[in-house]
Amino acid sequence: MAFETPKITYTGKIKSIAIGKGDQAILLGDESSYPFHLFEGEMPNTPRIAMEVYDVAPEDWAEAALKPFTGVTEDPVAWAKRNVEEYKADMVCLHLISTDPNGLDRPADEAAQTAKKVADAVDVPLIVWGVDNDDKDAEVLRKVAEVCEGKHLIIGPVVEGNYKQVGAGAIGYKHTAIASTPIDINLAKQLNILLGNLGVPDEQIIVDPTTGGLGYGIEYTYSVMERIRMAALTQQDERLQFPMICNLAREVWKTKEAKLTAEEAPTMGDPEKRGILMEGVTAVVLLLAGADILVMRHPEAVKLVREMIGELMAAA
Amino acid sequence: MALTGIQIFKLLPKTNCGECGVPTCLAFAMALAAGKAELASCPYVSDEAKAQLAEASAPPIRPLAIGTGDNAVKIGGETVLFRHEKTFVNPPGLAVLVSDGMDDAEISGRLKRFNELKFERVGLTLRPELVAVKDESGDATKFVGLIERVKKETDACLILMSEKTDVLAAGVKACAERVPLIYAVTDGNVDALAGLAKEHNCPLAVKAKDLDELSQLTAKLDQAGIKDIVLDPGSRGFRKAFEDEVFIRRAALQQKFRPLGYPTITFPCEMTDDPMKETLYAAAFIAKYGGIIVLSDFHGYGLFPLLVERMNIYTDPQRPMTMKQGIYEVGNPDENSPLMITTNFALTYFIVSGEIEASRIPSYLLVMDTEGLSVLTAWAAGKFVGDAMGMFIKKSGIEEKVKKKRIIIPGLVAAVSGDLEEELGSDWEVAIGPREAAHISAFLKAK
């Protein structure tokens, strides 16, 4: 019995989206195989890494995560520039933490101006992420969409409770909407249908399956993503054929294991390397499940994962 | 091709004796077809039927064990390509490499870390299982000396690596009672190592230059009567190794290609000199089909994420992970600390306890057995409701630990507060906490 390479034939294809300005635009998606299964299909666009910027100085970050950003955490523009110029981020993900009604509750106008300044300051595409509050995000992201017209941002999270308002902003000002659902393939599909019915073009939708951290539910995210790709590529499920984004940094770094000092957890080793590898391992798992964009934090983790992507994308 | 339950049933005695542990022959046939039973459980099956069934009833990827007793590492036995299709069964064994070419301090360090790096989580101990002992000197005495040392200093399951048959033979003899994995059969030593594996009843690894050669070698071993085989396709570039893992798993499951129906062994330690990158390679092999993963060294900062990933990926998606019911202390609570209650779905527990921890306000957290359901689901199923919660709180023994009888319940089940107050009696106060765990910190701080 001779060995025959077991290949499968795909019947579907992921849609392609373009983000960013002019010749700096980045293409995403367009896969016609399972992640990195290049021996039987194509993955014309490399998965990309977006690095985080907060619009106010983070209060509860581990020391290891703060260190690379010394001197810029009070200034989103400087922070974004450092991410791009020094750490070679493919994209920037601006988290509008200051708009949280349970926190500083800053107004939409102010947040939108911050987003505009960051978008103007860097050439790479910008993702603008809200605070998981349906009403406030609707108000803020709507404003961001308007003020940043022409920048082809990615904005979200767009959820069932605010998809009409944010979706309208995405349509009107040509941004990509992050369709966000809580780790469930049917809800993901449903929201994609709703966005389609609203008139959001397919080239302006990216799916956020909701990311669980390592040790905090990553297996649910992993399997929902694999199921989504399977349905998209082998079962012609047209409303699941979208690129996916994983907002993983905050999930990794908020866990107690990422914050424990060497004295508190001697067997868990150097806290900086531990945080980097917790983030790196999480990123690898999500890449293998089908992530097109990874939102990451630590520059060392970014570097390691970028190299992994390079190796996975190279022909064997 | 695999037989259906009905096809198998026709070959069974049809006496419904029940001695196989299943009440009827039909039920047994169905279990065989699903890969959930062994033909050997039936004492009356004819030899003829056995021969016909052997091929069909054997699992597509052979399950096997390295080591003995409770300590043994079980690998193989997988039946799906994606964990959501059913579940992954046997988590990959993690091994650290030591060689007789290393200096004493290096060996001591690696063995010490092997012994010390253990992590408690969800009531489980996460730890690595294997030490790969490598012959670099070509000297049987040295090799055996190192094996003896590993045996003495650790309870590890062993992988013995040498390119020399006589050195391997001496090594196997020195630790046969621990049932080591013999590494490895190559094109030139099939007969000698097959004999060695048979003599000591040990599993045997096969290393080839590609999947073609690998298939030919395992076919030869199969003919020689060797069943417990571990595959090394020889690829040491990460990309190629990843492809080989996918091809081997698919060949076994989709093509029922017997020569590759075995678990694999991978060597991130031979793919890079950078320990950080090595960890990420290992992470990929945990998700994509590694049977054994050999690392150059263990460090807490890399091993911990890998062990957690392994636990997560190998969690049965059909059965939620649960916590033991009881009182959990977050921080160092005292009699004046806040008291909260939640369900025993492990993820719920992790998130709630993590948020309490982040608040830096020491608290008691009561975890109630809801059969692994999350708060809202448990409430909807009638398991996380006022009277049941009240009975649990009273029996838990928490009344002896807190002065102020005030229980904070999840905001999502605010509706149970009336029933709970009634069940607990007037000396208890029921407070309604936030609906989302993310707001626990603010809630506790506002007190």
Side-chain angles (χ1 to χ4, degrees):
Chain A
M1 238 191 330
F3 170 72
E4 275 174 59
T5 310
K7 293 184 183 173
I8 61 172
T9 310
Y10 300 99
T11 50
K13 192 175 181 182
I14 306 303
K15 297 174 203 303
S16 165
I17 63 175
I19 50 165
K21 304 163 278 187
D23 55 359
Q24 298 291 331
I26 283 181
L27 289 175
L28 293 168
D30 213 16
E31 295 96 334
S32 60
S33 77
Y34 286 143
F36 310 106
H37 287 44
L38 304 172
F39 41 79
E40 60 193 9
E42 283 174 33
M43 229 177 137
N45 301 309
T46 302
R48 301 287 185 155
I49 301 174
M51 286 182 73
E52 291 182 309
V53 168
Y54 276 23
D55 69 339
V56 284
E59 280 178 4
D60 54 352
W61 281 20
E63 204 187 308
L66 275 175
K67 211 172 61 179
F69 309 106
T70 308
V72 296
T73 54
E74 305 276 352
D75 179 354
V77 168
W79 190 345
K81 283 186 158 176
R82 182 172 295 180
N83 282 349
V84 176
E85 287 159 19
E86 207 167 315
Y87 301 136
K88 311 292 176 214
D90 298 324
M91 306 176 191
V92 168
C93 180
L94 175 65
H95 288 278
L96 295 175
I97 305 293
S98 75
T99 62
D100 190 348
N102 296 310
L104 294 173
D105 200 16
R106 290 203 186 140
D109 282 331
E110 195 180 330
Q113 286 310 321
T114 308
K116 174 82 164 54
K117 276 187 221 157
V118 174
D120 284 338
V122 294
D123 286 335
V124 303
L126 180 67
I127 302 165
V128 179
W129 207 288
V131 290
D132 296 319
N133 179 300
D134 296 6
D135 296 338
K136 189 64 186 277
D137 284 351
E139 194 191 329
V140 171
L141 294 174
R142 191 66 205 268
K143 197 74 204 170
V144 168
E146 183 188 327
V147 172
C148 297
E149 183 173 13
K151 304 281 189 191
H152 297 287
L153 308 180
I154 299 186
I155 55 171
V158 179
V159 297
E160 204 186 339
N162 66 15
Y163 80 96
K164 284 185 181 156
Q165 297 95 309
V166 187
I171 299 169
Y173 304 102
K174 298 202 167 43
H175 301 296
T176 292
I178 302 168
S180 182
T181 43
I183 320 193
D184 185 299
I185 187 170
N186 296 315
L187 294 178
K189 182 172 173 176
Q190 178 62 20
L191 184 56
N192 295 343
I193 292 171
L194 290 174
L195 286 169
N197 292 348
L198 185 70
V200 180
D202 285 352
E203 316 81 66
Q204 286 170 235
I205 297 173
I206 188 165
V207 166
D208 164 27
T210 300
T211 304
L214 188 64
Y216 293 83
I218 196 174
E219 69 273 31
Y220 295 90
T221 304
Y222 180 78
S223 285
V224 158
M225 290 174 73
E226 287 202 325
R227 288 181 62 194
I228 288 176
R229 274 296 144 94
M230 187 180 266
L233 295 171
T234 68
Q235 294 148 21
Q236 298 104 12
D237 202 329
E238 202 255 335
R239 292 324 284 170
L240 288 171
Q241 293 169 338
F242 295 94
M244 292 191 276
I245 180 169
C246 291
N247 190 4
L248 65 108
R250 62 175 185 183
E251 302 305 322
V252 170
W253 287 94
K254 81 176 182 191
T255 64
K256 70 175 178 206
E257 293 83 359
K259 290 181 180 175
L260 291 170
T261 63
E263 292 72 38
E264 287 167 324
T267 54
M268 288 163 78
D270 177 60
E272 183 172 21
K273 288 183 178 167
R274 186 203 312 143
I276 291 166
L277 286 176
M278 285 178 67
E279 188 171 8
V281 166
T282 304
V284 167
V285 168
L286 297 170
L287 279 171
L288 292 173
D292 293 272
I293 301 179
L294 301 165
V295 179
M296 297 184 63
R297 183 169 298 175
H298 200 289
E300 277 304 309
V302 169
K303 186 165 165 275
L304 281 167
V305 172
R306 185 185 297 125
E307 285 172 20
M308 278 295 275
I309 294 172
E311 290 183 41
L312 281 164
M313 290 297 287
Chain B
M1 282 307 289
L3 300 178
T4 65
I6 298 295
Q7 287 169 319
I8 296 171
F9 174 66
K10 288 178 184 160
L11 300 167
L12 294 176
K14 303 190 196 74
T15 50
N16 297 336
C17 69
E19 286 179 47
C20 59
V22 183
T24 67
C25 289
L26 183 60
F28 182 59
M30 292 300 173
L32 279 175
K36 286 177 184 161
E38 296 261 351
L39 185 61
S41 309
C42 175
Y44 306 111
V45 67
S46 70
D47 286 346
E48 186 195 348
K50 252 187 215 164
Q52 282 187 47
L53 283 168
E55 181 74 6
S57 62
I61 297 174
R62 171 128 181 127
L64 58 93
I66 300 165
T68 56
D70 291 345
N71 242 355
V73 183
K74 294 194 182 79
I75 55 173
E78 302 299 336
T79 57
V80 291
L81 280 159
F82 299 96
R83 63 187 285 284
H84 68 256
E85 293 173 321
K86 193 170 176 195
T87 180
F88 290 167
V89 208
N90 290 318
L94 294 179
V96 65
L97 186 75
V98 296
S99 100
D100 60 7
M102 287 172 188
D103 66 39
D104 191 62
E106 186 61 43
I107 295 169
S108 298
R110 291 186 188 202
L111 296 182
K112 183 164 169 270
R113 287 187 284 279
F114 174 87
N115 284 327
E116 285 177 0
L117 295 178
K118 295 177 184 172
F119 308 94
E120 295 296 325
R121 210 177 164 86
V122 218
L124 299 169
T125 303
L126 309 184
R127 58 164 292 188
E129 298 84 6
L130 299 128
V131 174
V133 187
K134 188 174 181 181
D135 153 48
E136 278 182 319
S137 64
D139 177 340
T141 319
K142 266 192 160 178
F143 188 53
V144 169
L146 182 56
I147 291 168
E148 294 291 354
R149 178 170 175 188
V150 175
K151 264 170 66 178
K152 197 169 135 219
E153 293 179 22
T154 74
D155 63 354
C157 301
L158 301 170
I159 303 167
L160 305 186
M161 303 172 66
S162 174
E163 288 172 11
K164 292 188 159 182
T165 311
D166 55 328
V167 174
L168 269 181
V172 173
K173 209 170 163 191
C175 62
E177 79 287 355
R178 282 218 194 176
V179 193
L181 173 65
I182 305 170
Y183 181 94
V185 166
T186 53
D187 197 26
N189 62 10
V190 179
D191 295 338
L193 289 195
L196 184 64
K198 256 192 184 164
E199 182 187 343
H200 296 284
N201 213 4
C202 293
L204 191 52
V206 183
K207 183 185 180 184
K209 62 177 195 300
D210 57 31
L211 297 178
D212 259 330
E213 191 188 65
L214 194 60
S215 315
Q216 288 161 22
L217 289 173
T218 59
K220 278 188 200 167
L221 289 172
D222 185 55
Q223 279 176 3
I226 303 287
K227 299 286 174 216
D228 291 342
I229 296 171
V230 176
L231 306 174
D232 176 3
S235 34
R236 293 298 183 266
F238 169 65
R239 166 76 220 182
K240 184 74 172 60
F242 164 74
E243 281 187 11
D244 284 344
E245 287 294 325
V246 173
F247 288 153
I248 289 171
R249 176 68 61 97
R250 280 191 187 170
L253 296 184
Q254 294 180 334
Q255 301 174 331
K256 310 279 177 208
F257 184 63
R258 289 279 172 214
L260 294 180
Y262 304 96
T264 64
I265 183 167
T266 64
F267 290 90
C269 62
E270 293 180 12
M271 296 179 190
T272 172
D273 293 328
D274 174 358
M276 303 291 275
K277 191 176 256 189
E278 193 184 309
T279 304
L280 297 198
Y281 288 162
F285 293 127
I286 286 174
K288 292 295 168 192
Y289 315 141
I292 295 172
I293 300 170
V294 186
L295 296 167
S296 60
D297 202 350
F298 291 146
H299 294 287
Y301 55 76
L303 185 62
F304 174 74
L306 290 179
L307 288 169
V308 173
E309 182 205 348
R310 182 175 76 167
M311 177 178 74
N312 286 167
I313 294 290
Y314 278 78
T315 296
D316 185 347
Q318 304 152 112
R319 272 208 338 245
M321 271 201 302
T322 58
M323 299 294 297
K324 228 175 109 182
Q325 169 165 297
I327 304 169
Y328 288 76
E329 299 184 354
V330 187
N332 281 310
D334 61 29
E335 55 181 19
N336 296 312
S337 299
L339 168 64
M340 312 179 80
I341 186 167
T342 194
T343 72
N344 78 329
F345 178 36
L347 210 54
T348 302
Y349 165 79
F350 276 134
I351 291 167
V352 171
S353 64
E355 293 294 339
I356 299 174
E357 196 137 358
S359 76
R360 306 229 170 243
I361 296 175
S363 307
Y364 285 107
L365 178 60
L366 283 175
V367 171
M368 181 171 156
D369 183 358
T370 55
E371 295 168 25
L373 298 178
S374 63
V375 169
L376 205 53
T377 330
W379 171 76
K383 295 179 199 299
F384 199 57
V385 291
D387 45 351
M389 286 161 80
M391 281 199 291
F392 161 62
I393 292 167
K394 281 188 174 162
K395 278 190 193 157
S396 69
I398 191 69
E399 284 176 309
E400 289 140 42
K401 291 183 187 259
V402 292
K403 217 192 244 169
K404 191 173 172 194
K405 295 184 177 172
R406 178 172 182 274
I407 179 90
I408 302 165
I409 64 171
L412 284 176
V413 293
V416 310
S417 62
D419 286 349
L420 181 57
E421 273 166 357
E422 203 170 302
E423 181 70 30
L424 284 171
S426 57
D427 53 340
W428 274 87
E429 182 197 339
V430 177
I432 296 169
R435 292 169 64 86
E436 300 285 339
H439 301 144
I440 286 175
S441 190
F443 178 86
L444 289 174
K445 283 176 185 162
K447 292 294 117 188

